[in-house]
Structure formats: structure tokens, C-alpha cells
Amino acid sequence: FGLHAVLMVTIILSPAIATAQSEIDATGEDVYPPLWDLAPERLMDFLVKDNKIVINAWNYQERLGMYKSLLNSSAKYFTTFGSRNVGNILWGLPLQHGWQFYTGRLADPSGMTSCGYEDGDLLCISVKSWWACMNYYLAVIPFLGAVEAGLFGQLPYEVEILPPEEQRDDFCYSVADCRSRIPKLMDEWKAYFKVNYFYFFFNIFPETSSFNLDDALHFMWTAHVASIAHALPKFRDSLKYLSHPEANFGEDWANGVDFIAATHFYTDLQTTNNFQTFLPQRMLVESDALPSISDFSPQQNRVLLSLRVLHKTNQLTG
């Protein structure tokens, strides 16, 4: 069944992505996540306090800055895949984060605070948000894995991530902390950054080796899937704050990533943007019924339905 599911995902998504190819210019400003230009660009742009680089991962702009520093520091590996770093396969991470932000998925779904809302603290990321907590393991952990792998070189200070006000035990906050709590997951992300370094280093001698994009995609998707697998059971209770259709979509999406990963989907700037046009541009509500959500495009309805069927089939087959 696994191979057939991968083929089904490829068949479903390929026409949709091809349709959008001509609609997005990868050099246009609108292809970047919201507030991209305002996000910190390098580690020393964050607050330095008590000989530590301190990052608030519960602020959208600062979490986005972690992604931006990852992209800037890894740009040298992807120079042959397009100018302006557009071929970097890490673009899938900040673009997903940006999609979660502008669709309201990072705001407090319980309605108990103004975190993430325009009439409150718009840049606040709520620890009650299932999407935000899942994304932590696709933001902070890759970032700290890169720090440990030496992507940023020798840093003059340690990096410390600020904890949220609640659920502090659900997260880790430094290289040493994460290494002690989730060593296997840290190893997965460290391996991704190490394989990039290996190919780049040996590319100095072209007759010896060259950068292998498929290998990089393999290690990146392996780490990506591992992050979701670790976080999914941890934050299952957070789904209670979401509408039934939105909770279903979240779990469907987490399940679907396994199959997208198996295709080594190319998460560069343009391809990821093309793909995201077929994701829901708002939170799903109780009255939304697939496959006929009136303010969604036919392609969006089809992708949501396909993810639902794929997840149900996975459950039925064990």
C-alpha cells in the first residue's frame, strides 16, 4: 500500500503544482513569508544577554528569524540551484510557518487571550495552538541541530530559547537541553546539516564529489518526518481547541507529510509557494464539509479530501 499511496500523492499534487508554475514569480516580494524583511538575519541580530543569544520562539518574527538565519547560513550549499538562494530546500519550513501565521493558525484557539490576534499581540504565538506547538519541533529543533552541527561556525555565546508561560516540559531550550531530552531527533537534524557540509567541502575537488540534492532531500525529509512523529502524540490534547474539520485537517496533514516526504518533494522557494496555493487560506469551521467548501477552490477541496482519504486508509490498514 505504501508505494501506491506515494504514487497517489504524486498524481494528485503534480497537476496542481504544474498549474500554478506560471502564476508565481520566485523573485517577487509576495513569495516570502509575511514580515520576512523585518526578521533577524543572523544570530547576532537577536538579543544578547548574560553572555547568551536569547531567542523568543513564541514571537512570530523571532521564530521566523531562526529560519532566516538558517537559510542565510546554508545559502552557500545551493548556489548552483538558482540565484538569491531560491533553490535552498529549507524554504519549505519558513513558508509553512508564514502560511500558519497569515491563516490564523498560530493564534490562541481557545479564545482565552488576545495572543496572535490583530486587536491584541499579533506577533504572539500561542502555546495552546496545535499548529504552533507542532511547528516548534520544525523550527527550534532544526535550528539547534544546525548550531550543534557547526553551521554558524564558532559562536561567542550559547543560544538559549525562552520558554512559554505554560507547558514548559513539552519543549527543550538549548543544544545541551535538547541533546539530553531528544538525542535521536537532534541527531536527525544534525545529520542533514552535516551531509550538506560534507558535499560542499568535497566539491572543492570536483573529480572527487559534488553536491547531491537528492541526498540532501533524503536527510531533510527524514528529519522532518521524525520531528512530526515525535510531536504528534505530545500535542494531541491541543486538538480539542480546534473545530472538528480543522482538527481532522491537522492530523490529515501530519499523516500526509510521510507520503510527501517519500517522494523527496523539492521544497525550494517557488515549488513550495506553488504547492501552498492549494492549502486552505483560513481555519476550517464546523460548517465546512468536504469536498464542497464554497470559498475554497476546486483544487483546495480536492487536496483536502485526498489527505482525508489517505489518512483514513492508513488507519484502516494499520
Side-chain angles (χ1 to χ4, degrees):
F1 171 72
L3 178 59
H4 287 88
V6 170
L7 291 173
M8 186 174 86
V9 170
T10 306
I11 291 167
I12 291 166
L13 298 183
S14 295
I17 292 168
T19 301
Q21 281 291 348
S22 61
E23 297 177 7
I24 294 178
D25 176 5
T27 63
E29 293 302 316
D30 59 337
V31 301
Y32 297 104
L35 305 180
W36 183 252
D37 288 343
L38 301 178
E41 296 191 1
R42 57 193 183 94
L43 265 63
M44 298 309 295
D45 291 337
F46 291 98
L47 173 69
V48 176
K49 183 179 179 181
D50 299 329
N51 290 323
K52 291 183 178 180
I53 298 168
V54 181
I55 301 174
N56 180 9
W58 300 97
N59 173 279
Y60 168 74
Q61 207 163 309
E62 293 205 27
R63 195 180 287 196
L64 191 65
M66 288 192 287
Y67 287 130
K68 195 171 185 179
S69 61
L70 281 176
L71 277 154
N72 287 342
S73 295
S74 60
K76 57 182 175 286
Y77 303 134
F78 295 93
T79 55
T80 59
F81 300 98
S83 62
R84 299 177 62 182
N85 204 22
V86 297
N88 196 318
I89 62 175
L90 287 177
W91 274 113
L93 297 175
L95 287 170
Q96 269 283 288
H97 186 48
W99 167 77
Q100 292 166 355
F101 173 72
Y102 71 72
T103 59
R105 288 178 163 86
L106 302 179
D108 183 355
S110 73
M112 299 296 290
T113 72
S114 62
C115 178
Y117 293 98
E118 289 189 19
D119 59 352
D121 184 354
L122 182 61
L123 298 181
C124 174
I125 296 177
S126 174
V127 74
K128 288 186 172 68
S129 162
W130 178 85
W131 291 96
C133 292
M134 293 291 294
N135 179 258
Y136 190 96
Y137 282 84
L138 287 166
V140 172
I141 309 308
F143 178 79
L144 292 177
V147 171
E148 188 177 33
L151 179 70
F152 304 107
Q154 287 293 110
L155 294 175
Y157 308 108
E158 291 183 18
V159 176
E160 179 181 352
I161 310 298
L162 294 179
E165 293 182 359
E166 305 173 56
Q167 300 175 220
R168 294 188 175 204
D169 290 342
D170 287 335
F171 309 97
C172 57
Y173 306 102
S174 67
V175 169
D177 186 26
C178 295
R179 168 58 56 190
S180 66
R181 293 202 210 185
I182 47 173
K184 290 183 179 179
L185 186 53
M186 285 289 284
D187 283 342
E188 297 286 10
W189 281 107
K190 187 178 179 180
Y192 165 71
F193 292 106
K194 283 292 187 182
V195 76
N196 288 349
Y197 172 81
F198 175 82
Y199 278 116
F200 181 76
F201 177 80
F202 282 104
N203 199 36
I204 296 172
F205 310 101
E207 70 278 5
T208 306
S209 183
S210 63
F211 187 86
N212 188 310
L213 182 61
D214 195 59
D215 279 357
L217 285 165
H218 166 74
F219 280 96
M220 187 273 292
W221 276 118
T222 298
H224 191 121
V225 168
S227 281
I228 291 178
H230 179 84
L232 197 57
K234 186 181 289 289
F235 301 113
R236 200 170 298 280
D237 285 349
S238 298
L239 292 168
K240 67 186 178 186
Y241 296 116
L242 303 176
S243 70
H244 189 61
E246 179 70 17
N248 280 342
F249 166 58
E251 291 192 299
D252 294 345
W253 177 237
N255 173 79
V257 168
D258 280 358
F259 297 100
I260 295 170
T263 70
H264 285 190
F265 186 76
Y266 184 29
T267 44
D268 66 328
L269 181 66
Q270 182 163 334
T271 308
T272 305
N273 267 303
N274 292 339
F275 172 72
Q276 290 197 157
T277 63
F278 302 103
L279 295 180
Q281 303 304 299
R282 61 164 174 80
M283 298 273 282
L284 275 68
V285 297
E286 294 296 349
S287 58
D288 288 330
L290 293 171
S292 53
I293 302 176
S294 60
D295 60 332
F296 286 4
S297 70
Q299 294 93 339
Q300 286 171 333
N301 272 287
R302 186 164 65 245
V303 167
L304 287 176
L305 180 62
S306 300
L307 290 171
R308 176 99 284 248
V309 170
L310 189 62
H311 189 192
K312 283 291 186 184
T313 306
N314 232 16
Q315 290 174 321
L316 290 171
T317 60

mmCIF file of all heavy atoms in Angstrom, residues 73-74 76-78 149-151 189-213 215-216 219:
data_model
loop_
_atom_site.group_PDB
_atom_site.id
_atom_site.type_symbol
_atom_site.label_atom_id
_atom_site.label_comp_id
_atom_site.label_asym_id
_atom_site.label_seq_id
_atom_site.Cartn_x
_atom_site.Cartn_y
_atom_site.Cartn_z
ATOM 1 N N SER A 73 22.753 31.099 6.321
ATOM 2 C CA SER A 73 23.990 30.379 6.623
ATOM 3 C C SER A 73 24.188 29.149 5.739
ATOM 4 O O SER A 73 25.318 28.673 5.592
ATOM 5 C CB SER A 73 24.017 29.977 8.100
ATOM 6 O OG SER A 73 24.057 31.112 8.931
ATOM 7 N N SER A 74 23.102 28.623 5.174
ATOM 8 C CA SER A 74 23.225 27.446 4.307
ATOM 9 C C SER A 74 23.169 27.805 2.823
ATOM 10 O O SER A 74 23.224 26.915 1.972
ATOM 11 C CB SER A 74 22.114 26.437 4.624
ATOM 12 O OG SER A 74 20.826 27.000 4.424
ATOM 13 N N LYS A 76 25.305 28.948 0.836
ATOM 14 C CA LYS A 76 26.498 28.556 0.062
ATOM 15 C C LYS A 76 26.377 27.160 -0.527
ATOM 16 O O LYS A 76 27.043 26.830 -1.506
ATOM 17 C CB LYS A 76 27.741 28.643 0.946
ATOM 18 C CG LYS A 76 27.703 27.803 2.216
ATOM 19 C CD LYS A 76 28.966 28.007 3.047
ATOM 20 C CE LYS A 76 28.926 27.274 4.374
ATOM 21 N NZ LYS A 76 28.024 27.933 5.342
ATOM 22 N N TYR A 77 25.524 26.317 0.063
ATOM 23 C CA TYR A 77 25.369 24.960 -0.442
ATOM 24 C C TYR A 77 24.495 24.903 -1.698
ATOM 25 O O TYR A 77 24.471 23.885 -2.387
ATOM 26 C CB TYR A 77 24.734 24.061 0.630
ATOM 27 C CG TYR A 77 25.487 24.001 1.938
ATOM 28 C CD1 TYR A 77 24.811 24.118 3.147
ATOM 29 C CD2 TYR A 77 26.865 23.836 1.967
ATOM 30 C CE1 TYR A 77 25.490 24.064 4.361
ATOM 31 C CE2 TYR A 77 27.551 23.792 3.171
ATOM 32 C CZ TYR A 77 26.859 23.902 4.365
ATOM 33 O OH TYR A 77 27.537 23.849 5.558
ATOM 34 N N PHE A 78 23.732 25.975 -1.959
ATOM 35 C CA PHE A 78 22.709 25.905 -3.003
ATOM 36 C C PHE A 78 22.915 26.936 -4.111
ATOM 37 O O PHE A 78 21.978 27.274 -4.828
ATOM 38 C CB PHE A 78 21.318 26.087 -2.377
ATOM 39 C CG PHE A 78 20.947 24.979 -1.434
ATOM 40 C CD1 PHE A 78 21.211 25.083 -0.067
ATOM 41 C CD2 PHE A 78 20.360 23.812 -1.909
ATOM 42 C CE1 PHE A 78 20.887 24.048 0.805
ATOM 43 C CE2 PHE A 78 20.032 22.777 -1.051
ATOM 44 C CZ PHE A 78 20.294 22.899 0.306
ATOM 45 N N ALA A 149 25.708 21.293 14.757
ATOM 46 C CA ALA A 149 26.460 20.790 13.603
ATOM 47 C C ALA A 149 27.543 21.760 13.141
ATOM 48 O O ALA A 149 28.379 21.409 12.309
ATOM 49 C CB ALA A 149 25.504 20.501 12.452
ATOM 50 N N GLY A 150 27.522 22.994 13.666
ATOM 51 C CA GLY A 150 28.541 23.968 13.301
ATOM 52 C C GLY A 150 28.190 24.815 12.093
ATOM 53 O O GLY A 150 29.079 25.464 11.517
ATOM 54 N N LEU A 151 26.909 24.855 11.701
ATOM 55 C CA LEU A 151 26.522 25.641 10.527
ATOM 56 C C LEU A 151 26.873 27.112 10.698
ATOM 57 O O LEU A 151 27.245 27.786 9.732
ATOM 58 C CB LEU A 151 25.011 25.503 10.277
ATOM 59 C CG LEU A 151 24.454 26.295 9.084
ATOM 60 C CD1 LEU A 151 24.948 25.695 7.766
ATOM 61 C CD2 LEU A 151 22.931 26.327 9.102
ATOM 62 N N TRP A 189 18.515 15.989 12.636
ATOM 63 C CA TRP A 189 18.722 17.317 12.046
ATOM 64 C C TRP A 189 20.205 17.633 11.896
ATOM 65 O O TRP A 189 20.624 18.255 10.917
ATOM 66 C CB TRP A 189 18.009 18.379 12.878
ATOM 67 C CG TRP A 189 16.530 18.409 12.580
ATOM 68 C CD1 TRP A 189 15.514 17.962 13.370
ATOM 69 C CD2 TRP A 189 15.934 18.866 11.362
ATOM 70 N NE1 TRP A 189 14.302 18.124 12.716
ATOM 71 C CE2 TRP A 189 14.525 18.681 11.490
ATOM 72 C CE3 TRP A 189 16.422 19.428 10.181
ATOM 73 C CZ2 TRP A 189 13.629 19.029 10.480
ATOM 74 C CZ3 TRP A 189 15.529 19.777 9.175
ATOM 75 C CH2 TRP A 189 14.154 19.586 9.330
ATOM 76 N N LYS A 190 20.988 17.192 12.851
ATOM 77 C CA LYS A 190 22.428 17.399 12.737
ATOM 78 C C LYS A 190 22.974 16.686 11.510
ATOM 79 O O LYS A 190 23.832 17.217 10.793
ATOM 80 C CB LYS A 190 23.112 16.884 14.011
ATOM 81 C CG LYS A 190 24.599 17.187 14.083
ATOM 82 C CD LYS A 190 25.182 16.692 15.407
ATOM 83 C CE LYS A 190 26.669 16.970 15.491
ATOM 84 N NZ LYS A 190 27.241 16.484 16.769
ATOM 85 N N ALA A 191 22.440 15.490 11.220
ATOM 86 C CA ALA A 191 22.883 14.720 10.052
ATOM 87 C C ALA A 191 22.587 15.468 8.764
ATOM 88 O O ALA A 191 23.381 15.439 7.820
ATOM 89 C CB ALA A 191 22.205 13.350 10.039
ATOM 90 N N TYR A 192 21.431 16.151 8.708
ATOM 91 C CA TYR A 192 21.090 16.907 7.497
ATOM 92 C C TYR A 192 22.127 17.995 7.241
ATOM 93 O O TYR A 192 22.633 18.139 6.123
ATOM 94 C CB TYR A 192 19.698 17.532 7.611
ATOM 95 C CG TYR A 192 19.479 18.588 6.552
ATOM 96 C CD1 TYR A 192 19.316 18.216 5.214
ATOM 97 C CD2 TYR A 192 19.506 19.938 6.862
ATOM 98 C CE1 TYR A 192 19.172 19.170 4.226
ATOM 99 C CE2 TYR A 192 19.354 20.900 5.884
ATOM 100 C CZ TYR A 192 19.191 20.515 4.563
ATOM 101 O OH TYR A 192 19.064 21.460 3.582
ATOM 102 N N PHE A 193 22.451 18.771 8.265
ATOM 103 C CA PHE A 193 23.403 19.862 8.066
ATOM 104 C C PHE A 193 24.815 19.337 7.834
ATOM 105 O O PHE A 193 25.593 19.947 7.095
ATOM 106 C CB PHE A 193 23.357 20.820 9.263
ATOM 107 C CG PHE A 193 22.058 21.580 9.337
ATOM 108 C CD1 PHE A 193 21.112 21.256 10.286
ATOM 109 C CD2 PHE A 193 21.785 22.593 8.431
ATOM 110 C CE1 PHE A 193 19.902 21.941 10.343
ATOM 111 C CE2 PHE A 193 20.581 23.279 8.479
ATOM 112 C CZ PHE A 193 19.635 22.953 9.435
ATOM 113 N N LYS A 194 25.143 18.202 8.413
ATOM 114 C CA LYS A 194 26.458 17.611 8.205
ATOM 115 C C LYS A 194 26.636 17.105 6.775
ATOM 116 O O LYS A 194 27.707 17.239 6.179
ATOM 117 C CB LYS A 194 26.683 16.462 9.195
ATOM 118 C CG LYS A 194 27.030 16.906 10.601
ATOM 119 C CD LYS A 194 28.396 17.568 10.677
ATOM 120 C CE LYS A 194 28.823 17.851 12.106
ATOM 121 N NZ LYS A 194 30.131 18.546 12.157
ATOM 122 N N VAL A 195 25.575 16.507 6.204
ATOM 123 C CA VAL A 195 25.705 15.983 4.840
ATOM 124 C C VAL A 195 25.872 17.127 3.845
ATOM 125 O O VAL A 195 26.608 17.025 2.860
ATOM 126 C CB VAL A 195 24.515 15.070 4.450
ATOM 127 C CG1 VAL A 195 23.261 15.864 4.129
ATOM 128 C CG2 VAL A 195 24.880 14.182 3.257
ATOM 129 N N ASN A 196 25.217 18.262 4.100
ATOM 130 C CA ASN A 196 25.420 19.435 3.246
ATOM 131 C C ASN A 196 26.861 19.902 3.306
ATOM 132 O O ASN A 196 27.486 20.193 2.284
ATOM 133 C CB ASN A 196 24.499 20.574 3.692
ATOM 134 C CG ASN A 196 23.045 20.325 3.338
ATOM 135 O OD1 ASN A 196 22.738 19.407 2.599
ATOM 136 N ND2 ASN A 196 22.166 21.146 3.866
ATOM 137 N N TYR A 197 27.402 19.954 4.537
ATOM 138 C CA TYR A 197 28.784 20.387 4.714
ATOM 139 C C TYR A 197 29.741 19.431 3.998
ATOM 140 O O TYR A 197 30.680 19.861 3.324
ATOM 141 C CB TYR A 197 29.131 20.446 6.200
ATOM 142 C CG TYR A 197 30.602 20.707 6.466
ATOM 143 C CD1 TYR A 197 31.118 21.994 6.410
ATOM 144 C CD2 TYR A 197 31.466 19.655 6.741
ATOM 145 C CE1 TYR A 197 32.460 22.227 6.629
ATOM 146 C CE2 TYR A 197 32.816 19.881 6.966
ATOM 147 C CZ TYR A 197 33.306 21.166 6.909
ATOM 148 O OH TYR A 197 34.640 21.397 7.117
ATOM 149 N N PHE A 198 29.488 18.131 4.116
ATOM 150 C CA PHE A 198 30.356 17.127 3.505
ATOM 151 C C PHE A 198 30.443 17.325 1.994
ATOM 152 O O PHE A 198 31.525 17.390 1.419
ATOM 153 C CB PHE A 198 29.831 15.729 3.821
ATOM 154 C CG PHE A 198 30.586 14.623 3.123
ATOM 155 C CD1 PHE A 198 31.779 14.142 3.633
ATOM 156 C CD2 PHE A 198 30.094 14.070 1.950
ATOM 157 C CE1 PHE A 198 32.472 13.128 2.981
ATOM 158 C CE2 PHE A 198 30.778 13.059 1.289
ATOM 159 C CZ PHE A 198 31.975 12.586 1.812
ATOM 160 N N TYR A 199 29.273 17.436 1.354
ATOM 161 C CA TYR A 199 29.287 17.585 -0.105
ATOM 162 C C TYR A 199 29.894 18.913 -0.532
ATOM 163 O O TYR A 199 30.597 19.000 -1.528
ATOM 164 C CB TYR A 199 27.861 17.448 -0.658
ATOM 165 C CG TYR A 199 27.441 16.004 -0.815
ATOM 166 C CD1 TYR A 199 26.382 15.482 -0.074
ATOM 167 C CD2 TYR A 199 28.087 15.159 -1.705
ATOM 168 C CE1 TYR A 199 25.996 14.156 -0.218
ATOM 169 C CE2 TYR A 199 27.713 13.828 -1.849
ATOM 170 C CZ TYR A 199 26.664 13.344 -1.107
ATOM 171 O OH TYR A 199 26.275 12.034 -1.248
ATOM 172 N N PHE A 200 29.624 19.951 0.230
ATOM 173 C CA PHE A 200 30.182 21.257 -0.118
ATOM 174 C C PHE A 200 31.696 21.244 0.012
ATOM 175 O O PHE A 200 32.421 21.744 -0.850
ATOM 176 C CB PHE A 200 29.581 22.335 0.786
ATOM 177 C CG PHE A 200 30.085 23.720 0.493
ATOM 178 C CD1 PHE A 200 29.630 24.424 -0.606
ATOM 179 C CD2 PHE A 200 31.019 24.319 1.327
ATOM 180 C CE1 PHE A 200 30.091 25.701 -0.880
ATOM 181 C CE2 PHE A 200 31.493 25.596 1.061
ATOM 182 C CZ PHE A 200 31.024 26.288 -0.047
ATOM 183 N N PHE A 201 32.184 20.644 1.100
ATOM 184 C CA PHE A 201 33.628 20.597 1.331
ATOM 185 C C PHE A 201 34.332 19.846 0.212
ATOM 186 O O PHE A 201 35.327 20.303 -0.336
ATOM 187 C CB PHE A 201 33.929 19.944 2.678
ATOM 188 C CG PHE A 201 35.397 19.800 2.961
ATOM 189 C CD1 PHE A 201 36.129 20.877 3.423
ATOM 190 C CD2 PHE A 201 36.046 18.588 2.755
ATOM 191 C CE1 PHE A 201 37.491 20.753 3.678
ATOM 192 C CE2 PHE A 201 37.397 18.457 3.011
ATOM 193 C CZ PHE A 201 38.120 19.539 3.472
ATOM 194 N N PHE A 202 33.789 18.683 -0.146
ATOM 195 C CA PHE A 202 34.464 17.869 -1.157
ATOM 196 C C PHE A 202 34.219 18.372 -2.568
ATOM 197 O O PHE A 202 34.869 17.935 -3.502
ATOM 198 C CB PHE A 202 34.048 16.410 -1.022
ATOM 199 C CG PHE A 202 34.738 15.709 0.111
ATOM 200 C CD1 PHE A 202 34.060 15.448 1.280
ATOM 201 C CD2 PHE A 202 36.069 15.351 0.019
ATOM 202 C CE1 PHE A 202 34.698 14.817 2.339
ATOM 203 C CE2 PHE A 202 36.718 14.724 1.069
ATOM 204 C CZ PHE A 202 36.031 14.456 2.239
ATOM 205 N N ASN A 203 33.312 19.334 -2.723
ATOM 206 C CA ASN A 203 33.087 19.922 -4.034
ATOM 207 C C ASN A 203 34.261 20.814 -4.439
ATOM 208 O O ASN A 203 34.367 21.231 -5.581
ATOM 209 C CB ASN A 203 31.785 20.727 -4.051
ATOM 210 C CG ASN A 203 31.274 20.952 -5.460
ATOM 211 O OD1 ASN A 203 31.401 20.084 -6.310
ATOM 212 N ND2 ASN A 203 30.711 22.117 -5.700
ATOM 213 N N ILE A 204 35.147 21.113 -3.481
ATOM 214 C CA ILE A 204 36.379 21.837 -3.812
ATOM 215 C C ILE A 204 37.196 21.023 -4.815
ATOM 216 O O ILE A 204 37.942 21.553 -5.624
ATOM 217 C CB ILE A 204 37.206 22.088 -2.527
ATOM 218 C CG1 ILE A 204 36.410 23.006 -1.583
ATOM 219 C CG2 ILE A 204 38.560 22.706 -2.834
ATOM 220 C CD1 ILE A 204 37.031 23.161 -0.210
ATOM 221 N N PHE A 205 37.010 19.692 -4.752
ATOM 222 C CA PHE A 205 37.706 18.797 -5.678
ATOM 223 C C PHE A 205 36.662 18.119 -6.553
ATOM 224 O O PHE A 205 36.171 17.042 -6.216
ATOM 225 C CB PHE A 205 38.504 17.754 -4.882
ATOM 226 C CG PHE A 205 39.355 18.362 -3.811
ATOM 227 C CD1 PHE A 205 38.936 18.333 -2.483
ATOM 228 C CD2 PHE A 205 40.552 18.970 -4.123
ATOM 229 C CE1 PHE A 205 39.726 18.896 -1.485
ATOM 230 C CE2 PHE A 205 41.349 19.533 -3.127
ATOM 231 C CZ PHE A 205 40.927 19.506 -1.811
ATOM 232 N N PRO A 206 36.251 18.743 -7.671
ATOM 233 C CA PRO A 206 35.143 18.239 -8.486
ATOM 234 C C PRO A 206 35.296 16.793 -8.913
ATOM 235 O O PRO A 206 34.320 16.078 -9.065
ATOM 236 C CB PRO A 206 35.164 19.176 -9.695
ATOM 237 C CG PRO A 206 35.843 20.415 -9.213
ATOM 238 C CD PRO A 206 36.852 19.959 -8.206
ATOM 239 N N GLU A 207 36.536 16.332 -9.096
ATOM 240 C CA GLU A 207 36.704 14.952 -9.538
ATOM 241 C C GLU A 207 36.369 13.972 -8.411
ATOM 242 O O GLU A 207 36.167 12.780 -8.647
ATOM 243 C CB GLU A 207 38.137 14.727 -10.035
ATOM 244 C CG GLU A 207 39.201 14.747 -8.941
ATOM 245 C CD GLU A 207 39.634 16.158 -8.563
ATOM 246 O OE1 GLU A 207 39.019 17.107 -9.093
ATOM 247 O OE2 GLU A 207 40.571 16.299 -7.760
ATOM 248 N N THR A 208 36.317 14.458 -7.168
ATOM 249 C CA THR A 208 36.045 13.583 -6.027
ATOM 250 C C THR A 208 34.557 13.446 -5.757
ATOM 251 O O THR A 208 34.040 12.357 -5.530
ATOM 252 C CB THR A 208 36.739 14.139 -4.764
ATOM 253 O OG1 THR A 208 38.113 14.318 -5.057
ATOM 254 C CG2 THR A 208 36.572 13.190 -3.589
ATOM 255 N N SER A 209 33.863 14.572 -5.780
ATOM 256 C CA SER A 209 32.456 14.541 -5.400
ATOM 257 C C SER A 209 31.777 15.819 -5.847
ATOM 258 O O SER A 209 32.400 16.741 -6.344
ATOM 259 C CB SER A 209 32.316 14.366 -3.883
ATOM 260 O OG SER A 209 30.954 14.259 -3.532
ATOM 261 N N SER A 210 30.461 15.892 -5.671
ATOM 262 C CA SER A 210 29.698 17.112 -5.933
ATOM 263 C C SER A 210 28.480 17.090 -5.031
ATOM 264 O O SER A 210 28.129 16.067 -4.452
ATOM 265 C CB SER A 210 29.273 17.180 -7.410
ATOM 266 O OG SER A 210 28.418 16.104 -7.714
ATOM 267 N N PHE A 211 27.830 18.234 -4.904
ATOM 268 C CA PHE A 211 26.658 18.318 -4.035
ATOM 269 C C PHE A 211 25.540 17.449 -4.614
ATOM 270 O O PHE A 211 25.171 17.580 -5.772
ATOM 271 C CB PHE A 211 26.195 19.775 -3.927
ATOM 272 C CG PHE A 211 25.105 19.971 -2.921
ATOM 273 C CD1 PHE A 211 25.414 20.185 -1.594
ATOM 274 C CD2 PHE A 211 23.771 19.932 -3.300
ATOM 275 C CE1 PHE A 211 24.416 20.376 -0.655
ATOM 276 C CE2 PHE A 211 22.768 20.116 -2.367
ATOM 277 C CZ PHE A 211 23.095 20.341 -1.041
ATOM 278 N N ASN A 212 24.976 16.574 -3.791
ATOM 279 C CA ASN A 212 23.927 15.665 -4.225
ATOM 280 C C ASN A 212 22.606 16.127 -3.631
ATOM 281 O O ASN A 212 22.364 15.953 -2.438
ATOM 282 C CB ASN A 212 24.252 14.238 -3.778
ATOM 283 C CG ASN A 212 23.286 13.217 -4.373
ATOM 284 O OD1 ASN A 212 22.073 13.375 -4.302
ATOM 285 N ND2 ASN A 212 23.837 12.169 -4.970
ATOM 286 N N LEU A 213 21.756 16.730 -4.465
ATOM 287 C CA LEU A 213 20.488 17.295 -3.989
ATOM 288 C C LEU A 213 19.568 16.220 -3.440
ATOM 289 O O LEU A 213 18.892 16.422 -2.423
ATOM 290 C CB LEU A 213 19.802 18.064 -5.117
ATOM 291 C CG LEU A 213 18.483 18.755 -4.757
ATOM 292 C CD1 LEU A 213 18.703 19.793 -3.664
ATOM 293 C CD2 LEU A 213 17.864 19.390 -5.986
ATOM 294 N N ASP A 215 20.345 13.399 -1.994
ATOM 295 C CA ASP A 215 20.805 13.012 -0.654
ATOM 296 C C ASP A 215 20.379 14.048 0.380
ATOM 297 O O ASP A 215 19.941 13.702 1.485
ATOM 298 C CB ASP A 215 22.329 12.868 -0.629
ATOM 299 C CG ASP A 215 22.780 11.517 -1.176
ATOM 300 O OD1 ASP A 215 21.912 10.688 -1.518
ATOM 301 O OD2 ASP A 215 24.004 11.304 -1.270
ATOM 302 N N ALA A 216 20.524 15.323 0.024
ATOM 303 C CA ALA A 216 20.127 16.388 0.945
ATOM 304 C C ALA A 216 18.637 16.311 1.234
ATOM 305 O O ALA A 216 18.202 16.443 2.386
ATOM 306 C CB ALA A 216 20.489 17.750 0.355
ATOM 307 N N PHE A 219 17.891 13.379 3.696
ATOM 308 C CA PHE A 219 18.197 13.661 5.098
ATOM 309 C C PHE A 219 17.250 14.719 5.668
ATOM 310 O O PHE A 219 16.837 14.629 6.832
ATOM 311 C CB PHE A 219 19.651 14.120 5.240
ATOM 312 C CG PHE A 219 20.635 12.982 5.240
ATOM 313 C CD1 PHE A 219 21.287 12.600 4.068
ATOM 314 C CD2 PHE A 219 20.921 12.289 6.407
ATOM 315 C CE1 PHE A 219 22.194 11.551 4.058
ATOM 316 C CE2 PHE A 219 21.826 11.238 6.417
ATOM 317 C CZ PHE A 219 22.467 10.862 5.241
#
